[in-house]
Amino acid sequence: MILRDFYAAWVRTNDEVFRVEGNKRLVAGVAPDKCATGTQAMGTLKLAQWHLCMDLAVQSQNLQCSCHAVEQIPSTGRGRTAQFVPTRFVFRNKLNRDDKLLLAFDARVLSEVLRREVGLGKIVHGENYATRKVKTSALAGEVRKLTDKIGTLLASSSPPDLALNRHCAECEFQNRCRPKAIEKDDLSLLSGMTEKERTNFNSKGIFTVTQLSHTFQSRRRPHGLRDKRERYHHSLKALAIREKKIHVIGSPEMKIEGTPVYVDVEGLPDRDFYYLIGIRIKVGDSAVHHSLWADSPSGRGQHLAGVLVQTNRSREPSFDPLRRL
């Protein structure tokens, strides 16, 4: 199993642990007789007496979702209906659009079952279990397009065209798709190629990496463009793969002026916490190396600043290396 597979498994495990703990926190704030589980709530959703339901599976026609939690807010006036608010748990501190789309999908299925709009949802996320409200009604159109597209693929008698992408590491079919892509010598093996570029090559009759490798032609650049960066050639990468060689365009030159300093930063960008800065400085014929560690976000400036101030000869007393980098 390669590194990205370990990471995908790590993400799934953390999501599950976070969801279980998030459930406990929600249940702790509701009276026991007002809590329900998915099996208890099924079939009585419209007449539900609970205020909080955990692990609710909802199905409407050909759509089904598994809501991490659903909160029912009682009506505040005569003639008004109760409001249902789906909730999802995400262990990451920073949310992306996919997280919001999944919540909007839960809201769509719920709205079809209830036959009323579910226009609001919540995402509990991060180490502090922060709550983000999401207006799911604003994402309803995009969710409908995506579900319709998926429905078309499922209804087709033939499988969709094989194309590797950045989500393959999290897909259960990755061990089947990649060998097939290698067998076909598919263009999607070139990870830097976009779907639009791949479609453009297909329209020209180029479907494999080997075919693409034969299209590269080295041309002399016009004099006015010699100082500009050469554009990226997928065909050259394909040629390098076919010939198992390293190809270099032009005559690259490396000019280093002054004192070269090499910096490497490691951390958790999701939490805005960078725990290690490695600095290597060339001094004459030798090199000086510093490893700057922080054990926690609260101590990073205090522990790291001293070495960086000495290395960079900074006179600022409150120097925070992480903020500057």
Side-chain angles (χ1 to χ4, degrees), residues 57 141 150 153 167 220 228 298:
I150 294 173
L153 290 174
H167 301 293
R220 180 176 296 179
K228 293 186 178 181
S298 61

Side-chain angles (χ1 to χ4, degrees), residues 29-152:
V30 181
D33 60 336
K34 295 298 181 181
C35 292
T37 62
T39 55
Q40 296 171 340
M42 284 302 295
T44 60
L45 186 59
K46 295 182 181 180
L47 303 175
Q49 299 300 315
W50 43 262
H51 290 174
L52 179 67
C53 180
M54 316 305 297
D55 301 321
L56 178 62
V58 185
Q59 183 171 358
S60 170
Q61 297 180 357
N62 60 339
L63 297 179
Q64 180 176 339
C65 70
S66 296
C67 299
H68 294 172
V70 178
E71 179 185 1
Q72 181 183 193
I73 302 176
S75 59
T76 57
R78 201 171 194 180
R80 295 185 179 182
T81 58
Q83 183 181 5
F84 289 83
V85 180
T87 300
R88 294 190 71 87
F89 298 100
V90 179
F91 87 96
R92 287 175 281 103
N93 280 313
K94 294 184 179 180
L95 301 176
N96 55 42
R97 190 164 184 81
D98 291 343
D99 299 321
K100 298 177 182 179
L101 288 174
L102 287 172
L103 179 66
F105 176 75
D106 293 344
R108 180 188 173 181
V109 181
L110 271 175
S111 64
E112 291 186 0
V113 172
L114 297 169
R115 295 185 179 179
R116 70 182 74 161
E117 183 182 10
V118 178
L120 180 67
K122 296 180 181 179
I123 299 179
V124 179
H125 67 101
E127 55 189 333
N128 296 323
Y129 289 84
T131 300
R132 170 79 65 85
K133 292 184 179 180
V134 178
K135 191 174 182 181
T136 55
S137 56
L139 301 171
E142 187 174 355
V143 169
R144 187 172 293 104
K145 290 180 180 179
L146 291 172
T147 52
D148 290 346
K149 185 177 181 180
I150 294 173
T152 301

Side-chain angles (χ1 to χ4, degrees), residues 27-321:
V27 170
V30 181
D33 60 336
K34 295 298 181 181
C35 292
T37 62
T39 55
Q40 296 171 340
M42 284 302 295
T44 60
L45 186 59
K46 295 182 181 180
L47 303 175
Q49 299 300 315
W50 43 262
H51 290 174
L52 179 67
C53 180
M54 316 305 297
D55 301 321
L56 178 62
V58 185
Q59 183 171 358
S60 170
Q61 297 180 357
N62 60 339
L63 297 179
Q64 180 176 339
C65 70
S66 296
C67 299
H68 294 172
V70 178
E71 179 185 1
Q72 181 183 193
I73 302 176
S75 59
T76 57
R78 201 171 194 180
R80 295 185 179 182
T81 58
Q83 183 181 5
F84 289 83
V85 180
T87 300
R88 294 190 71 87
F89 298 100
V90 179
F91 87 96
R92 287 175 281 103
N93 280 313
K94 294 184 179 180
L95 301 176
N96 55 42
R97 190 164 184 81
D98 291 343
D99 299 321
K100 298 177 182 179
L101 288 174
L102 287 172
L103 179 66
F105 176 75
D106 293 344
R108 180 188 173 181
V109 181
L110 271 175
S111 64
E112 291 186 0
V113 172
L114 297 169
R115 295 185 179 179
R116 70 182 74 161
E117 183 182 10
V118 178
L120 180 67
K122 296 180 181 179
I123 299 179
V124 179
H125 67 101
E127 55 189 333
N128 296 323
Y129 289 84
T131 300
R132 170 79 65 85
K133 292 184 179 180
V134 178
K135 191 174 182 181
T136 55
S137 56
L139 301 171
E142 187 174 355
V143 169
R144 187 172 293 104
K145 290 180 180 179
L146 291 172
T147 52
D148 290 346
K149 185 177 181 180
I150 294 173
T152 301
L153 290 174
L154 294 175
S156 176
S157 57
S158 58
D161 294 335
L162 176 65
L164 304 182
N165 56 53
R166 63 187 180 90
H167 301 293
C168 289
E170 303 176 30
C171 180
E172 59 184 304
F173 302 109
Q174 59 174 304
N175 294 329
R176 291 174 49 188
C177 293
R178 187 165 186 82
K180 288 184 178 180
I182 294 174
E183 181 182 355
K184 291 176 57 180
D185 197 24
D186 192 77
L187 286 178
S188 63
L189 289 167
L190 301 176
S191 58
M193 184 181 296
T194 64
E195 182 180 356
K196 184 177 180 180
E197 291 172 324
R198 191 166 59 249
T199 301
N200 184 40
F201 283 125
N202 291 162
S203 66
K204 299 176 181 179
I206 301 173
F207 297 91
T208 68
V209 176
T210 302
Q211 289 175 336
L212 181 62
S213 68
H214 290 285
T215 65
F216 177 75
Q217 293 182 355
S218 180
R219 295 183 176 89
R220 180 176 296 179
R221 303 191 73 193
H223 182 74
L225 299 177
R226 290 181 180 177
D227 295 333
K228 293 186 178 181
R229 184 177 180 180
E230 177 72 27
R231 69 182 182 88
Y232 187 83
H233 297 274
H234 293 292
S235 55
L236 181 59
K237 182 177 181 179
L239 179 63
I241 293 174
R242 177 169 65 88
E243 296 184 345
K244 297 181 180 180
K245 295 180 179 179
I246 296 176
H247 292 267
V248 179
I249 295 180
S251 301
E253 296 181 2
M254 182 177 294
K255 296 181 180 179
I256 300 178
E257 298 178 356
T259 302
V261 179
Y262 303 93
V263 180
D264 176 47
V265 181
E266 296 183 12
L268 303 172
D270 175 60
R271 301 186 179 185
D272 289 327
F273 172 46
Y274 299 91
Y275 55 82
L276 170 63
I277 301 178
I279 298 181
R280 190 177 182 86
I281 305 172
K282 185 177 180 181
V283 181
D285 295 332
S286 61
V288 178
H289 178 75
H290 293 285
S291 296
L292 314 175
W293 292 88
D295 297 328
S296 64
S298 61
R300 64 183 187 181
Q302 178 182 0
H303 296 307
L304 301 184
V307 181
L308 267 183
V309 168
Q310 180 181 357
T311 303
N312 296 318
R313 298 180 181 178
S314 173
R315 299 181 181 272
E316 301 180 32
S318 59
F319 182 64
D320 188 341

